Amino acid sequence: MTSVPYNPVTLDADLTATYLQDARSVTAGLEDATVDLWMPTTRLQAMETLWVLGHRLQGTAGLYGYPQTAALAGLLERLMEGRASLPETAVPQITEVLERAVSCMNMALDRIERGEGEGDVGLMFAHKDGPQHVTALLKAHPFELKARDALSDLREEQPFAVINAPIWEDFGPEAAELTAALRQGLDSDTPDLTALFRAAHTLKGSSAMVGLQDLADTGHALEDLMSSAREDGIPLDRALPLLEDGLNVAEAVLAHAEGRLGSQTDRVQTYRASVAALLGGQAPALPVTAAPTDTARSETRLSVRVDSARLDGMLDDVAGLVASRARLNGLFLRQQALSGSLDAAHERVQRTVRDFEERYLNPHLTPGGSMGTGTGAGAGMGSAGTARPAGDLQLQDRLADFGALELDTYDDLNILARAVTELSADLTEIRAQTAQGISALGDELTSLEKLTRQLRVELSRARLLPVSRVTAPLHRWAGRRDDLTLTIHGEDSLIDAQHAGPLGEALLHLLTNAAVHGGQTPAEREAHGKPGRLQVSVSARVADGHLSVTVQDDGRGLNFEALRQRALQSGHASAGELATYTDDQTAQLVFLPGLSTAGQVTQEAGRGVGMDAVRDAIARMGGRVNLRSQPGQGTAITLHVPVAQQITDVLVMRVGTQRMAILASQMQGMSVLEGEAPAGSVDLNDLWGEAPASVRYVARVALAGENGAGTLHLLVDEFLSLEEIVLRPAGTLLGSLGYLSGMTTLNDAAGRAFPAAILDPAGLAQASARGVRRAERRTAAPTDTAHILLVDDSLSVRRHVGRSLERFGFTVTTASDGQEALERLLAGERADLLLSDLEMPRMNGFELLRAVRSSPAHTGLPVVIMTTRAGEKHQQLAMELGASDYLAKPAEERLLQRRLTALLPAGKVGA
């Protein structure tokens, strides 16, 4: 390549650091992409990556004034540009070129970092025989070596991810996560079709909402396949190849949306035709080839924009933490010095005590064992048989000439007392210094706590996004419809960035349900005095650390009768249970998996996926869902989610032997319980099944309701402490308990950690209204085991259901039809409950039921009909003939056990 004259460039240090950081990331990417060239599955993507990185470095180096690096990067760009493919034989040759070019770029960056400028990069490349390898590559695999024409006919429009950058920032990671989850689920030994179906449904709906129709069509086709496989329409092993192909298509569509691949519309249509052929009982159409995957692609992480002023504030907090650490280090050194003084004092005490013990507690160690005078204190140190020197004798004679008043004398007790006095003074000084150190340490810890709290708050705020980021796609979704009007309020409310994606999915499900299930014809709406188009509103507000988003429509409301019928048909509830349900309880049936009241399956509804997905998504965020509906007037659904993964303050309370807490921001006051408890109070001892203390306390907690704020009174045994905790979701096991905001970990007095529940006031109020109480422990054993007579003409049903009943603890006998069952009953065989099918030879279930009710001995016998005939006509006839309950096959085991236990006479239970 032609060498460009070298002129050193001097840049500002910050600009140089920025360039070096960017350029080194490019060279690292070039090295990774070079490795990917050797793998056939990633070769095409690696070629695209090499072109992009070469183009990027050429522009960056030229902008910062490094023309030789820019020229070499431009060569790499042109080498990769326009190549539709790269044969296996060309990989070693192009690798030689890339390795030499990257080596020269790194050498230039090293020189720039040392302040020497980029150097003569072209000459470096020539010394490494780079031009010769380029020539050999072009001779072996020629193509037109020219710069890309920005106005070429081959130019594609800007990628979807670029045009819709704000949408893609949330949707891109979500779609990638869903496709990864689908692929992981399909690769498992036993694919969970229900979970996979839900993921495909979510992918389809989200794609349609943001306007990526190819991906929505692919998701719809995947959904059709999984639905048929789940309902045994086609064997799973026949569906798996096309499911794998569908994921390849979905990943290719995503790559196209990011500008990494060309249009995939034809491929999507081919795939849809293949799925339609398979579902129609024909051989699939043309096979769909696998998409090149980018195995080196790093995990996508969510990004947020942070105001520079907020970053400055956090940096100030970090500076305060650094200063606090330095002060704590100084206190530590002072404590080390005090520890050294204590060690020295301890050594003096030991030496003094040891000398005293040697003289008096062990007298045989001194000559004669007698107490000497101060002047003779050292006499005992010698051995008894040792002769004294002449000089010592003379000194002894001269000392004897002094009178008692001419020289003070000190015996060993005087010496010990003086030593103890000196040690006492030293210890007093050390104690004073230790007290000062502890006081300073306490002040420093208080300051450190304030700093960490402030930094925690700033970091939490930095992760927050306005709800408008979540609702922006909703405006676009509504703009493509002509059957509704959407209004959104509170878009300036804030939500944690990690919750934005799941919340957007949930809102899409709710809007789709409002449009499909709540929509009415213009004539119906006019007859009810409503505007011509469905009115849907989304309102968001923040209170007590939680975001509440309400989706409300003025449509037809829930069809309670259809919900009851579908719940019966799906085996989720029995006719007897459903007859006792209030409208509010019936409304909760919409959260059952697989339940839909849509008349037919469409791309938007009819598959039984929606509300259960909403509830599960909100529960994973540590939130809850409330639903209200009035037939003919509309439906309102409120999502309550924490604004962020909270590090917050809580008030810890004791209830019997249990420890639990409430958010400090929700506390209004506390007092001793005197006299009767306030009306509407919730006794937590009663809820947890704990014996109350002799002295009780009342916690007044803020209760946010739809009609305004209120106060809830909680009865507890003791208020313990105010703690700063990390609030986490309750998880799958405890997530169904509506009175829990989440869980945390606390420490007891001994420092041992234990889990503690964080209470939700709204959930506690609902639990109290429903009369939720912990069941009292039974002290007496069951008086008798229930006997159940199971009647069904199918041997497999008798075996399967019979084993389930035996696992419940019941004694089971079986009959193959109604005639056999009736004969056994009339012969005196014991039966505490009769569980019968409808369609049987000789005597069907209706005839058996009529005969049993005609027998005086069996008029009170509970009779439960369990059949595949879940229609209202069959159900009504059975109930008129005296059936105690009516279940649809296949009934859930929990439902079967619950209903049979409820219908058995008192004292008749499972073993």
Side-chain angles (χ1 to χ4, degrees):
M1 60 181 289
T2 303
S3 178
V4 179
Y6 168 57
N7 295 312
V9 178
T10 303
L11 293 177
D12 178 80
D14 291 338
L15 291 177
T16 301
T18 301
Y19 168 74
L20 288 173
Q21 182 180 8
D22 191 18
R24 289 198 186 279
S25 68
V26 170
T27 56
L30 290 171
E31 292 172 349
D32 293 339
T34 302
V35 174
D36 292 341
L37 284 174
W38 291 83
M39 294 180 285
T41 58
T42 59
R43 186 170 300 145
L44 288 176
Q45 179 58 40
M47 292 170 58
E48 181 73 13
T49 301
L50 289 168
W51 177 82
V52 171
L53 292 177
H55 179 78
R56 173 180 162 187
L57 184 57
Q58 181 190 24
T60 303
L63 176 66
Y64 282 86
Y66 299 108
Q68 298 217 15
T69 304
L72 184 55
L75 173 65
L76 296 185
E77 176 193 7
R78 293 193 295 277
L79 281 175
M80 303 311 303
E81 185 180 28
R83 291 188 181 272
S85 62
L86 190 69
E88 186 84 21
T89 55
V91 173
Q93 292 176 302
I94 199 167
T95 299
E96 294 289 342
V97 175
L98 290 170
E99 288 179 346
R100 284 163 172 76
V102 171
S103 175
C104 293
M105 292 174 183
N106 285 327
M107 292 171 61
L109 295 177
D110 292 338
R111 287 178 54 89
I112 294 170
E113 192 168 12
R114 294 193 300 267
E116 300 172 0
E118 65 175 338
D120 198 331
V121 181
L123 188 58
M124 297 179 199
F125 189 64
H127 287 166
K128 292 180 179 291
D129 298 326
Q132 290 88 328
H133 287 283
V134 172
T135 302
L137 173 65
L138 295 177
K139 285 183 178 180
H141 306 281
F143 73 105
E144 187 176 6
L145 184 62
K146 66 176 184 178
R148 172 171 297 210
D149 185 359
L151 300 178
S152 170
D153 294 337
L154 298 177
R155 184 193 66 176
E156 296 185 353
E157 63 178 357
Q158 284 188 308
F160 180 91
V162 175
I163 299 173
N164 303 280
I167 294 176
W168 191 260
E169 186 175 346
D170 296 324
F171 172 76
E174 173 199 350
E177 181 180 348
L178 287 170
T179 53
L182 284 166
R183 189 172 293 283
Q184 182 179 4
L186 288 177
D187 292 341
S188 64
D189 295 334
T190 55
D192 184 352
L193 288 178
T194 299
L196 294 175
F197 180 81
R198 181 177 299 168
H201 180 84
T202 302
L203 179 64
K204 176 199 70 177
S206 300
S207 304
M209 180 181 69
V210 303
L212 196 57
Q213 192 58 43
D214 282 348
L215 190 57
D217 291 341
T218 305
H220 195 191
L222 286 169
E223 198 177 38
D224 286 336
L225 264 179
M226 292 178 188
S227 176
S228 183
R230 187 175 66 168
E231 298 169 2
D232 298 326
I234 57 174
L236 180 59
D237 56 351
R238 290 195 64 197
L240 277 177
L242 268 184
L243 290 174
E244 290 282 355
D245 289 341
L247 289 182
N248 292 335
V249 173
E251 290 171 348
V253 173
L254 288 174
H256 168 61
E258 293 177 339
R260 296 186 285 115
L261 288 178
S263 174
Q264 302 294 311
T265 301
D266 293 341
R267 191 173 173 195
V268 171
Q269 298 308 317
T270 301
Y271 176 69
R272 294 184 66 187
S274 299
V275 172
L278 181 62
L279 296 179
Q282 306 172 10
L286 296 175
V288 181
T289 57
T293 57
D294 184 7
T295 57
R297 184 182 179 185
S298 60
E299 180 184 357
T300 303
R301 294 185 179 272
L302 189 65
S303 62
V304 293
R305 297 183 179 90
V306 183
D307 184 81
S308 60
R310 179 160 291 164
L311 284 176
D312 291 340
M314 287 189 283
L315 287 175
D316 290 341
D317 292 338
V318 171
L321 289 174
V322 172
S324 180
R325 183 186 64 181
R327 291 192 294 270
L328 285 173
N329 186 61
L331 290 173
F332 172 74
L333 295 176
R334 288 174 56 186
Q335 293 300 317
Q336 279 188 322
L338 289 175
S339 177
S341 300
L342 281 174
D343 290 341
H346 181 257
E347 176 63 26
R348 290 173 58 191
V349 169
Q350 285 186 317
R351 185 170 59 251
T352 302
V353 171
R354 184 171 58 250
D355 291 345
F356 190 79
E357 286 179 347
E358 289 175 353
R359 291 176 182 274
Y360 300 108
L361 299 184
N362 298 300
H364 63 278
L365 296 179
T366 59
S370 58
M371 181 183 298
T373 63
T375 57
M381 299 298 293
S383 300
T386 303
R388 292 179 179 272
D392 287 349
L393 293 176
Q394 293 177 359
L395 177 62
Q396 187 74 17
D397 293 338
R398 294 183 62 187
L399 288 174
D401 294 339
F402 284 88
L405 296 180
E406 293 179 287
L407 184 66
D408 292 335
T409 59
Y410 296 92
D411 57 17
D412 290 340
L413 287 178
N414 295 130
I415 296 172
L416 178 62
R418 172 170 290 185
V420 170
T421 300
E422 292 175 354
L423 287 172
S424 176
D426 291 345
L427 291 176
T428 299
E429 178 64 23
I430 292 174
R431 179 178 178 278
Q433 294 181 19
T434 302
Q436 292 177 357
I438 292 174
S439 177
L441 183 60
D443 294 340
E444 197 58 49
L445 289 177
T446 300
S447 175
L448 185 61
E449 180 181 0
K450 291 179 180 178
L451 279 172
T452 54
R453 185 188 301 270
Q454 185 173 343
L455 184 59
R456 179 255 296 178
V457 170
E458 290 296 331
L459 286 173
S460 298
R461 289 175 178 172
R463 288 178 55 89
L464 298 181
L465 297 174
V467 173
S468 58
R469 289 282 295 277
V470 178
T471 57
L474 304 183
H475 288 289
R476 180 171 180 172
W477 174 86
R480 297 196 302 267
R481 306 185 69 101
D482 58 2
D483 57 346
L484 59 81
T485 300
L486 176 65
T487 57
I488 301 179
H489 305 283
E491 290 186 296
D492 56 345
S493 301
L494 298 177
I495 185 68
D496 194 298
Q498 67 178 343
H499 293 164
L503 181 61
E505 295 174 18
L507 291 176
L508 172 64
H509 283 303
L510 297 183
L511 291 179
T512 302
N513 281 347
V516 174
H517 299 288
Q520 299 169 294
T521 64
E524 289 176 328
R525 293 186 62 82
E526 184 178 356
H528 289 84
K530 301 178 181 178
R533 300 174 67 175
L534 179 69
Q535 303 297 305
V536 183
S537 67
V538 177
S539 303
R541 65 185 183 89
V542 175
D544 296 328
H546 281 71
L547 173 71
S548 298
V549 184
T550 300
V551 178
Q552 185 167 3
D553 66 75
D554 66 346
R556 62 167 54 97
L558 294 179
N559 188 335
F560 293 141
E561 188 57 39
L563 281 173
R564 294 188 183 99
Q565 189 64 27
R566 294 298 173 86
L568 176 66
Q569 292 173 353
S570 61
H572 289 298
S574 70
E577 277 185 322
L578 293 170
T580 64
Y581 276 16
T582 64
D583 286 348
D584 287 341
Q585 291 173 316
T586 302
Q588 303 309 309
L589 295 174
V590 300
F591 295 111
L592 293 175
L595 189 142
S596 175
T597 59
Q600 60 182 357
V601 176
T602 67
Q603 187 169 347
E604 290 187 317
R607 302 183 184 273
V609 178
M611 292 307 300
D612 62 322
V614 170
R615 183 179 61 179
D616 291 347
I618 298 303
R620 286 193 295 270
M621 290 188 282
R624 67 182 189 278
V625 183
N626 293 335
L627 183 148
R628 296 180 293 108
S629 183
Q630 292 185 358
Q633 302 202 10
T635 302
I637 302 173
T638 302
L639 312 179
H640 302 276
V641 297
V643 170
Q645 179 184 8
Q646 290 180 290
I647 304 175
T648 187
D649 295 322
V650 296
L651 177 65
V652 184
M653 307 173 293
R654 181 177 65 83
V655 175
T657 60
Q658 304 297 320
R659 303 291 189 274
M660 57 200 66
I662 198 83
L663 294 180
S665 60
Q666 296 174 335
M667 288 295 300
Q668 293 180 337
M670 59 189 78
S671 60
V672 178
L673 176 61
E674 297 178 352
E676 295 294 329
S681 299
V682 177
D683 192 335
L684 296 184
N685 293 76
D686 193 6
L687 186 63
W688 257 261
E690 294 280 347
S694 56
V695 179
R696 309 291 305 284
Y697 295 86
V698 180
R700 297 188 299 280
V701 182
L703 182 63
E706 295 171 357
N707 298 322
T711 300
L712 180 68
H713 296 85
L714 303 179
L715 304 184
V716 300
D717 289 340
E718 187 180 1
F719 297 116
L720 296 179
S721 60
L722 192 66
E723 301 285 348
E724 186 180 47
I725 56 97
V726 177
L727 178 61
R728 301 191 183 279
T732 304
L733 185 62
L734 301 177
S736 59
L737 301 178
Y739 47 83
L740 295 185
S741 284
M743 299 293 294
T744 192
T745 302
L746 299 173
N747 293 322
D748 59 16
R752 294 185 296 267
F754 63 91
I758 310 300
L759 304 180
D760 176 38
L764 287 172
Q766 294 175 3
S768 178
R770 292 193 304 264
V772 175
R773 296 292 184 267
R774 181 174 175 174
E776 296 181 359
R777 296 179 180 177
R778 298 181 180 179
T779 57
T783 57
D784 197 4
T785 300
H787 287 67
I788 295 179
L789 177 58
L790 173 62
V791 189
D792 200 296
D793 61 324
S794 170
L795 177 61
S796 60
V797 170
R798 294 199 301 272
R799 286 180 175 175
H800 175 72
V801 177
R803 288 170 183 168
S804 297
L805 295 176
E806 288 173 350
R807 285 200 305 271
F808 301 156
F810 301 125
T811 300
V812 182
T813 55
T814 61
S816 60
D817 57 33
Q819 184 66 38
E820 181 184 353
L822 182 61
E823 290 172 355
R824 289 189 177 189
L825 289 173
L826 295 179
E829 182 171 316
R830 175 184 171 185
D832 298 311
L833 185 143
L834 178 64
L835 179 61
S836 175
D837 189 15
L838 272 187
E839 298 174 291
M840 298 177 292
R842 296 202 295 170
M843 179 181 286
N844 62 37
F846 290 130
E847 295 169 337
L848 173 61
L849 181 56
R850 184 184 295 109
V852 168
R853 291 296 178 239
S854 300
S855 171
H858 301 95
T859 54
L861 177 66
V863 180
V864 177
I865 300 298
M866 186 171 66
T867 176
T868 56
R869 298 291 187 179
E872 188 175 355
K873 178 180 177 181
H874 296 80
Q875 174 189 336
Q876 287 182 350
L877 179 57
M879 303 304 284
E880 290 173 1
L881 291 174
S884 305
D885 209 341
Y886 194 97
L887 303 174
K889 289 182 182 177
E892 291 184 346
E893 287 193 352
R894 291 179 298 177
L895 169 65
L896 186 61
Q897 180 183 21
R898 184 173 71 246
R899 293 309 298 156
L900 298 187
T901 302
L903 292 170
L904 285 169
K908 304 287 186 178
V909 295

